[in-house]
Structures are given as structure tokens and as C-alpha cells.
Amino acid sequence: MSINKILPKPTHESEPYWRGCHNHELLIQQCNNCGVFQFYPRSICTSCMSENVEWVQSSGKGKVVTYTIVYRAPNKAFEADLPYVIALIKLDEGPTMMSNIVHCEPKKVKIGMEVKVFFEDWSEEITIAKFMPGKTTNII
């Protein structure tokens, strides 16, 4: 699938995350010293500063913390998506990540709404983790 949007460029720290998305797995980091989960990818634990962090599969479930509905596209590549929701999602493991809520009327999104991960292939290399309403992880 070819998408006319600027694609993310994986870095050394984020490459395992993007590889997980490509495999339709939501990967986050967990510290082997203190057990804290974290997202976005970093080389050290944000809780205890240990370098002993590893990638683990998230349940892919969480709740909407806050959101906004976008009615005006930042550029032509996003016009077909209008209106769309950008949200902060608190994963069941603890970290918060920013993503889109899809497969739901934007006006039906609510703070506290339970969501599950959904993967959208943007290219042969890049797959984006988005979220949709629901509790059970059902990766499509």
C-alpha cells in the first residue's frame, strides 16, 4: 500500500518498535531492574536510569486520556482522513502514547473510552499503530 504521507524514519532506539508494528505487534520497553514500562523508545529507563531495558509485547489495550478532533488537514495528504481523532492513550501497562482513534465516529470518542490497537500499513516498511474502540485485542 502506498500512502502519500511523510513516513516516520526509524532510529536506533525506535527500530524495534517499528519492526513490531510491521509484524502487527505493539512493542513497548520494560526495565529489567525496576519493572517499569515506558514509551516512547529510549536507551535508558526513565524511572531508575538503568540501561537494562528490553522490548516486550503490550496487551494493546488502553483508555483515552484526552483527544482532539481535527477538521482541517495540516496538508493535502490528510484531507481524505477528515475529520480524524488524535488522542493520548494510557496503555494498560502504564505508558501513554499518542495515536489516532479509528473505526469510530469522531464525536463518539470519549475520555475514559476503552480502546485496542489496530495496525495500518502505510508502506512495505512502515506500519502505524492506531487504536479503535474495544477491550479485546483484535489485530487486523
Side-chain angles (χ1 to χ4, degrees):
M1 165 193 244
S2 177
I3 253 181
N4 203 16
K5 296 177 181 167
I6 296 173
L7 299 177
K9 293 189 184 338
T11 64
H12 174 71
E13 285 87 12
S14 69
E15 194 278 327
Y17 168 78
W18 293 110
R19 187 173 54 244
C21 286
H22 183 73
N23 295 325
H24 291 199
E25 298 174 334
L26 183 60
L27 300 181
I28 59 176
Q29 292 176 311
Q30 184 176 25
C31 179
N32 286 318
N33 286 2
C34 70
V36 168
F37 293 95
Q38 65 184 24
F39 187 85
Y40 62 89
R42 293 167 219 155
S43 58
I44 62 171
C45 173
T46 57
S47 177
C48 72
M49 305 305 279
S50 168
E51 294 178 5
N52 192 10
V53 293
E54 70 176 326
W55 290 93
V56 297
Q57 188 168 349
S58 166
S59 68
K61 297 185 264 183
K63 290 185 179 177
V64 174
V65 175
T66 192
Y67 67 95
T68 189
I69 301 172
V70 178
Y71 292 97
R72 184 176 175 189
N75 60 49
K76 289 186 185 263
F78 291 90
E79 285 179 353
D81 299 333
L82 293 175
Y84 60 90
V85 176
I86 299 173
L88 289 179
I89 295 112
K90 184 170 178 81
L91 300 174
D92 285 357
E93 293 84 4
T96 301
M97 67 184 293
M98 184 182 292
S99 188
N100 297 107
I101 307 295
V102 295
H103 302 299
C104 175
E105 259 185 67
K107 290 185 178 187
K108 290 190 176 180
V109 174
K110 301 290 179 218
I111 292 173
M113 183 171 110
E114 293 179 333
V115 292
K116 59 186 176 183
V117 73
F118 170 83
F119 293 96
E120 191 173 278
D121 297 321
W122 279 19
S123 74
E124 288 188 26
E125 297 83 29
I126 296 295
T127 299
I128 304 295
K130 295 187 176 187
F131 288 80
M132 59 192 227
K135 262 183 131 170
T136 310
T137 301
N138 181 17
I139 301 170
I140 298 170

